[in-house]
Amino acid sequence: MNRKMTALILGNGAYPNNELVNATNDAEDMSQKLSDFGFSVIKLKDATKKSIDESVNSFRDNLNSNDIGLFYFAGHGMQIEGENYITAIDSDFKSEIDAKYSSYPLNKIIEIMEKSKNKTNIIILDACRNNPYLRAWNRDPSLDGLAPVYAPKGTIIAYSTSPGEVASDGSKSNGAYTEALLQHIAVPDIPIEDMFKRVRNSLSVSTKGQQTSWEHTSLSGDFFFNLSLGSSIEIYSNEAISDELFHIDSDKLMHTEIRDLKSHNWYTQNPIAAKLTAESLNDADDDAVFVLGRNVYQAACGSARDLSSFISRFRERTTNFHAKTRKALLDGMIFEIFFNSKGELRDSFKTSKFNSVFDCQKYSEFDDSFTFISDVLSTYHSRFYAIPGKSREVSIDVSTKINDKGEYKVLGVYFSGHNILRPDEDFSFYEEEYGAIPYEGVQGSALERRISEELLIPSHKLKINYDFDYEPKAKLLFPYGHTVAK
């Protein structure tokens, strides 16, 4: 399911003489979490009133081209004359009047979201933190926190406290409310209302009953932050998507072969390649063929040569397959590149046979399989420079410098004008040991294959531009311990 979602995340902590330690951490962590769920995120930290206004205008434009809109604020909020305001780091707190006209009205954000073309809006306010500026005004304590606001149709508004209460900035790296929110927001397949109930319970425990979150909702349908693949993919069962749950039944077609492929024994795995025929597979159910494809790819990555050959010759080896059988087998192989046995996106993708599988993208008869994977991966767009399976060509530029031996040293790899070449996690060790960045000699063709696999862009869709007369056999010097992976 390709959900179009946008979010504006604002965390203000650098208030004059009253810093909130955790508000910007809250914004950072929420931005990352929402990006993981597929939101396009505008992130703003320690913002002035002017920068808030500019970001809200950008957010307004995004709302009209998305289905889901979310606004999150961590920082000082206040109510003045029954209306709520989000404070900026340059808000003037000398008096209520000064504060009112130098802060941002929450009602404006609500109205903008209400009148946009998107279907669902979510507003999350961790904005009732104990505000010493308000105490200086000698106001009635009942005016602490935010005033209740009713949610327009299609909107849920979540508050970190009940009306008149104040929130805790938290004893860890997050505010107490956002800490509870981050704890539960990633639970798969839980409706948003139920998720906020769990947040309320955890918050009550962590604050010893001193803080009670609440929501007002006018949502007319269900919304899930973390929609599991088993729920979003309708053509294969959850047991096939999370294939560790797949039950092997020796009486069913291809189940014995799946068991043998899982053996991690080449002598058991390789003979399966000869059994991958139309006669054997065409009557098997789609789930079994999908899981078979996953395990064919897994075994090939484990150096089962006959299965590697089957993948390389997939088109000719499957010519007589039924169209749906052929698709399910290829779907499974592609899916295994990106997802583990729990149906979760891999931390490190399984790319050793990536180009062999994605060579099939050259042929229109396989378009449905690459549409399938691009739709699935669109939820995780932040993990990719370009979503795998899309048909467009990607161009990158390699910047080099020739040394006194006539060797070309790679200085940068540029995607959309940005240098994406970076050290990996262990690089600091090498730099400390050698006192400088060491370089390794790599043949041009091998470097191009490496770049393709790290970018998850197949070689036939990747155009690499060099600043010298490049030949595939050319030797380049590549910085050791570096990568272009996102």
Side-chain angles (χ1 to χ4, degrees):
M1 179 184 296
N2 187 4
R3 302 190 294 174
K4 299 172 68 176
M5 305 182 291
T6 186
L8 172 58
I9 307 298
L10 171 59
N12 279 349
Y15 294 98
N17 304 315
N18 180 35
E19 182 179 4
L20 291 175
V21 177
N22 291 332
T24 54
N25 294 338
D26 293 339
E28 193 71 49
D29 293 344
M30 281 295 296
S31 295
Q32 182 59 59
K33 189 65 70 176
L34 293 175
S35 293
D36 291 344
F37 297 150
F39 281 83
S40 63
V41 176
I42 300 172
K43 179 176 64 178
L44 200 60
K45 298 191 295 185
D46 290 334
T48 62
K49 183 175 184 294
K50 180 180 178 182
S51 59
I52 294 173
D53 199 45
E54 291 171 348
S55 296
V56 170
N57 287 337
S58 298
F59 182 51
R60 185 206 313 250
D61 294 337
N62 290 350
L63 287 169
N64 289 318
S65 58
N66 284 270
D67 300 320
I68 311 295
L70 185 147
F71 174 74
Y72 168 91
F73 174 68
H76 283 315
M78 60 186 177
Q79 58 169 301
I80 298 176
E81 297 176 347
E83 292 203 16
N84 294 319
Y85 294 86
I86 290 167
T87 63
I89 61 168
D90 61 348
S91 291
D92 185 351
F93 292 99
K94 287 196 294 289
S95 70
E96 284 190 271
I97 294 176
D98 294 322
K100 176 179 178 179
Y101 287 100
S102 59
S103 299
Y104 199 92
L106 178 61
N107 279 347
K108 183 176 179 180
I109 294 173
I110 294 173
E111 187 173 351
I112 286 172
M113 297 178 77
E114 178 188 8
K115 292 184 177 179
S116 296
K117 296 178 182 178
N118 62 309
K119 299 175 183 177
T120 301
N121 287 308
I122 303 161
I123 298 172
I124 303 175
L125 303 167
D126 194 353
C128 308
R129 305 186 191 203
N130 195 8
N131 191 337
Y133 301 114
L134 309 190
R135 294 198 302 271
W137 299 341
N138 296 315
R139 304 198 313 172
D140 189 309
S142 66
L143 298 179
D144 288 344
L146 296 180
V149 177
Y150 289 99
K153 183 179 179 181
T155 302
I156 183 170
I157 304 178
Y159 301 83
S160 59
T161 65
S162 297
E165 290 184 352
V166 293
S168 169
D169 195 35
S171 58
K172 300 177 184 177
S173 61
N174 294 111
Y177 177 70
T178 296
E179 180 183 358
L181 180 59
L182 291 168
Q183 178 183 343
H184 294 291
I185 198 171
V187 176
D189 303 327
I190 178 174
I192 188 171
E193 294 90 349
D194 291 345
M195 187 276 295
F196 278 121
K197 289 177 184 176
R198 296 189 183 192
V199 170
R200 182 157 42 255
N201 291 335
S202 294
L203 181 64
S204 179
V205 171
S206 68
T207 63
K208 297 181 172 54
Q210 297 300 305
Q211 188 173 335
T212 304
S213 61
W214 71 291
E215 303 81 41
H216 190 278
T217 179
S218 293
L219 294 181
S220 54
D222 289 333
F223 175 79
F224 307 84
F225 278 104
N226 187 11
L227 193 61
S228 70
L229 287 178
S231 297
S232 60
I233 297 176
E234 298 178 353
I235 57 176
Y236 302 113
S237 70
N238 188 57
E239 289 73 20
I241 297 303
S242 305
D243 76 331
E244 67 175 12
L245 304 176
F246 189 78
H247 175 65
I248 301 294
D249 184 344
S250 299
D251 292 331
K252 293 184 177 181
L253 289 174
M254 303 314 297
H255 280 233
T256 300
E257 287 75 9
I258 292 171
R259 182 197 62 204
D260 290 345
L261 287 171
K262 291 179 178 290
S263 69
H264 302 290
N265 183 324
W266 296 340
Y267 298 103
T268 303
Q269 293 172 330
N270 274 317
I272 303 302
K275 299 180 181 181
L276 301 177
T277 64
E279 292 75 18
S280 300
L281 271 69
N282 277 342
D283 291 330
D285 68 76
D286 289 348
D287 276 353
V289 177
F290 179 82
V291 174
L292 180 72
R294 296 192 64 173
N295 285 276
V296 165
Y297 186 85
Q298 179 272 132
C301 290
S303 301
R305 292 183 179 179
D306 292 353
L307 294 162
S308 294
S309 176
F310 175 84
I311 292 175
S312 298
R313 299 169 57 205
F314 182 82
R315 190 184 187 212
E316 62 181 280
R317 289 287 299 269
T318 60
T319 300
N320 296 325
F321 284 30
H322 290 158
K324 72 179 187 66
T325 302
R326 199 183 200 192
K327 178 182 183 300
L329 190 61
L330 182 56
D331 285 355
M333 292 194 302
I334 302 172
F335 192 83
E336 183 68 15
I337 297 171
F338 302 101
F339 295 93
N340 63 23
S341 62
K342 298 180 183 295
E344 301 167 338
L345 194 70
R346 296 183 184 278
D347 293 329
S348 298
F349 299 118
K350 193 182 288 187
T351 59
S352 65
K353 304 298 175 185
F354 169 76
N355 271 299
S356 293
V357 171
F358 269 74
D359 274 347
C360 292
Q361 193 180 12
K362 298 174 183 177
Y363 308 104
S364 60
E365 63 212 73
F366 300 118
D367 283 352
D368 287 348
S369 286
F370 292 98
T371 297
F372 160 74
I373 197 62
S374 64
D375 285 347
V376 172
L377 293 176
S378 63
T379 300
Y380 309 96
H381 63 86
S382 62
R383 286 285 305 273
F384 306 99
Y385 293 107
I387 296 174
K390 296 290 188 183
S391 60
R392 71 184 183 94
E393 184 181 83
V394 174
S395 178
I396 65 170
D397 299 284
V398 175
S399 170
T400 65
K401 180 180 180 181
I402 192 169
N403 64 17
D404 54 8
K405 297 180 180 179
E407 299 168 318
Y408 289 94
K409 181 183 292 187
V410 176
L411 303 179
V413 178
Y414 290 82
F415 174 83
S416 297
H418 300 285
N419 187 8
I420 58 175
L421 182 63
R422 61 176 179 82
D424 65 17
E425 295 177 355
D426 298 323
F427 178 70
S428 59
F429 165 79
Y430 297 115
E431 192 166 9
E432 290 172 7
E433 180 178 354
Y434 293 102
I437 300 174
Y439 282 76
E440 56 180 328
V442 183
Q443 193 174 63
S445 57
L447 179 60
E448 291 197 341
R449 184 170 60 253
R450 174 176 169 180
I451 289 174
S452 167
E453 292 174 356
E454 290 186 356
L455 294 180
L456 277 302
I457 300 170
S459 295
H460 70 277
K461 293 292 183 184
L462 181 63
K463 186 177 188 302
I464 302 180
N465 307 301
Y466 297 90
D467 56 3
F468 65 97
D469 292 332
Y470 167 80
E471 294 181 359
K473 293 184 179 180
K475 180 181 178 181
L476 291 89
L477 298 178
F478 194 78
Y480 192 73
H482 278 57
T483 182
V484 295
K486 195 160 188 181

